[in-house]
């Protein structure tokens, strides 16, 4: 396991801040040994919590033109037929995966193919499970088309704590299934929109592992 690049500067800055807060206690109040221990313990716990957020574990990525891989670690909170109004303008099956601050927050390509559409939407920061977070929150929208001509739309959605979305791909790029396309800092969700005749392989409340869990199987065209 490695630490993701998005965490490098933040973790270094956090170390400097924690050192600056702890050093005066040892220098100016050497007699308060118990408080030194409390401050050090709190600092270590805080640093480890932030450190685990940026972990980048190795994953065994399944490969298949018809397979849809979970784009994130988290919990399935929505599986429903809905109207997708930004790109397809028709009915699709929506699968939403909620990420808590304890999950790995890398965003992984659910399928291989060409990115046919990309758009960044500024917006609000409603809690990620709010019904309107998919349309009102800050978000990015991607559409990837696989070699069989099947298109999948997916969105990174910011939440109440997630105030920064990163993406590393653009329209026209060729992407590989299971490789990272972005990062969301401090908890949020990803929505995936699939053709109605897609076979769904997950259930509500099921935990997913980004780049590893097969959440659906696309129809052949």
């Amino acid at each position: 396991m490695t630490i993701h690049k998005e965490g490098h500067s933040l973790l270094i800055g956090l170390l400097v801040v924690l050192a600056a807060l702890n050093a005066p206690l040892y220098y100016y109040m050497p007699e308060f040994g118990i408080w030194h221990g409390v401050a050090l313990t709190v600092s270590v716990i805080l640093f480890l919590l932030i450190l685990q957020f940026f972990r980048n574990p190795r994953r065994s990525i399944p490969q298949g033109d018809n397979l849809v891989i979970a784009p994130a670690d988290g919990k399935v909170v929505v599986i429903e037929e809905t109207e997708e109004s930004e790109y397809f303008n028709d009915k699709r099956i929506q699968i939403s995966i909620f990420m808590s601050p304890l999950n790995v927050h890398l965003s992984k390509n659910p399928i291989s193919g060409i990115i046919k559409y990309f758009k960044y939407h500024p917006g609000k920061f409603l809690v990620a499970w709010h019904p309107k977070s998919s349309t009102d929150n800050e978000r990015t929208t991607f559409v990837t088309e696989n070699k069989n001509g099947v298109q999948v739309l997916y969105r990174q959605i910011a939440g109440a704590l997630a105030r920064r979305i990163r993406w590393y791909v653009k329209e026209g790029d060729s992407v590989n299934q299971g490789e990272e396309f972005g990062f969301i800092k401090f908890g949020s969700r990803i929505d995936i929109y699939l053709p109605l005749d897609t076979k769904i392989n997950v259930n509500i409340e099921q935990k997913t592992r980004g780049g590893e869990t097969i959440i659906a199987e696309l129809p052949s065209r």
Side-chain angles (χ1 to χ4, degrees):
M1 184 179 71
T2 58
I3 301 303
H4 194 270
K5 61 184 179 181
E6 293 289 348
H8 292 171
S9 59
L10 188 150
L11 290 168
I12 292 171
L14 181 60
L15 273 177
V16 171
V17 170
L18 292 176
L21 292 174
N22 279 271
L25 285 175
Y26 287 87
Y27 186 79
Y28 293 109
M29 293 182 289
E31 68 277 14
F32 293 105
I34 187 170
W35 292 111
H36 299 166
V38 170
L40 182 60
T41 300
V42 171
S43 297
V44 169
I45 291 173
L46 176 61
F47 184 80
L48 291 177
L49 284 173
I50 301 299
L51 180 68
Q52 67 83 34
F53 178 83
F54 291 103
R55 67 196 187 277
N56 185 6
R58 293 182 181 275
R59 293 286 164 82
S60 213
I61 302 171
Q63 297 293 321
D65 294 328
N66 68 322
L67 302 181
V68 181
I69 307 302
D73 284 26
K75 180 171 68 175
V76 177
V77 294
V78 172
I79 303 175
E80 65 181 15
E81 184 178 314
T82 187
E83 186 79 16
E84 198 294 303
S85 58
E86 179 179 350
Y87 179 82
F88 292 118
N89 293 307
D90 63 12
K91 290 190 178 296
R92 298 275 151 166
I93 298 175
Q94 176 186 338
I95 299 177
S96 297
I97 297 172
F98 172 73
M99 295 171 281
S100 80
L102 298 180
N103 288 127
V104 174
H105 274 62
L106 283 169
S107 301
K108 303 289 187 76
N109 294 303
I111 64 173
S112 296
I114 304 296
I115 296 180
K116 293 293 186 177
Y117 175 83
F118 167 78
K119 188 170 184 180
Y120 167 74
H121 303 266
K124 300 176 182 178
F125 296 98
L126 302 172
V127 291
W129 56 84
H130 193 286
K132 289 190 174 181
S133 65
S134 294
T135 55
D136 292 0
N137 277 18
E138 180 182 14
R139 62 200 181 278
T140 59
T141 302
F142 303 81
V143 176
T144 297
E145 181 177 292
N146 71 9
K147 70 177 188 179
N148 295 324
V150 181
Q151 295 185 338
V152 172
L153 183 151
Y154 43 103
R155 290 193 181 103
Q156 296 173 295
I157 302 171
L161 292 177
R163 298 303 179 102
R164 186 169 297 174
I165 295 175
R166 300 290 196 192
W167 61 93
Y168 313 130
V169 295
K170 61 185 183 302
E171 196 169 303
D173 282 355
S174 176
V175 298
N176 293 317
Q177 192 171 51
E179 292 184 354
E180 65 178 90
F181 70 86
F183 198 96
I184 311 177
K185 293 186 177 181
F186 300 110
S188 192
R189 64 187 268 181
I190 292 185
D191 292 347
I192 309 109
Y193 293 83
L194 305 165
L196 292 180
D197 50 353
T198 300
K199 178 186 175 185
I200 306 303
N201 291 343
V202 290
N203 302 304
I204 293 291
E205 301 292 313
Q206 182 174 332
K207 300 291 179 65
T208 62
R209 288 166 63 86
E212 191 169 272
T213 303
I214 299 172
I215 62 172
E217 296 176 35
L218 295 171
S220 299
R221 291 287 190 255

